[in-house]
Amino acid sequence: MASNPVVKHRTRAAARQNGRCHYCSCPMWDAMREPVKSFALRHGISRRLARLLQLTAEHLRARQDGGKDRAGNIVAACRVCNLRRHQGTRQPPEPDAYAALIQRRVAAGRWHYPPLHRLIAAP
Ligand SMILES: [Zn+2]
C-alpha cells in the first residue's frame, strides 16, 4: 500500500466505488496499477480518450478551502469530472450540486465524448 495518504484514500475510494467515477460512473484506470494502453484495449477506446478516465483523488471540500487529506473527504473521480469541477470558477460547486449537474448531462448524452457513453451504462 502506498504511503502517500491521498493515494491510499484514492485507492480505497476506487475500490468502494467498483472502479467507477463518483460523478459520472465511468470506469477508471489507476495509472499506478495499469498502463493506459491495456485499459484502452479492454474498453475498445483510443488511448487519448482513455487518459480522460484516469483515476484521480477528488477532494469533496477542496484543499484550498481547508479540505483535508482524509478518507471522508476523498472520493475517486475521473480526470474530466475532477478538473471541470475546479475549472473556471473561483469557488467549485458543492459536491451534491455538481453530481446532480453531471447526472443531468450524462442523461442528456452531454458528458464525455460520444465513444465513452456506452462505458457509463456498461455493467
Ligand atoms: Zn467522471
Side-chain angles (χ1 to χ4, degrees):
M1 184 62 73
S3 58
N4 180 332
V6 174
V7 171
K8 181 181 73 181
H9 296 315
R10 179 183 76 190
T11 303
R12 288 181 182 167
R16 265 199 317 274
Q17 297 166 213
N18 295 315
R20 288 179 176 265
C21 174
H22 176 74
Y23 295 114
C24 73
S25 300
C26 259
M28 300 176 291
W29 61 282
D30 184 341
M32 295 180 72
R33 292 168 175 235
E34 178 181 24
V36 64
K37 183 182 174 182
S38 95
F39 179 86
L41 280 172
R42 187 149 46 88
H43 292 287
I45 58 176
S46 70
R47 278 185 234 182
R48 185 180 67 83
L49 288 176
R51 281 193 194 92
L52 301 175
L53 300 181
Q54 183 176 346
L55 165 65
T56 68
E58 155 75 351
H59 288 72
L60 295 173
R61 183 176 163 86
R63 275 188 283 205
Q64 65 186 29
D65 298 329
K68 303 292 185 213
D69 294 341
R70 292 201 186 117
N73 193 43
I74 292 177
V75 295
C78 74
R79 176 170 293 285
V80 170
C81 288
N82 194 340
L83 288 180
R84 287 202 191 160
R85 181 171 173 231
H86 301 282
Q87 208 173 51
T89 53
R90 262 176 247 170
Q91 192 61 36
E94 288 300 316
D96 288 351
Y98 187 61
L101 167 76
I102 292 183
Q103 286 311 310
R104 285 196 301 274
R105 294 259 177 100
V106 164
R110 289 175 50 234
W111 194 253
H112 287 308
Y113 290 103
L116 300 180
H117 291 175
R118 68 184 163 78
L119 299 186
I120 295 172

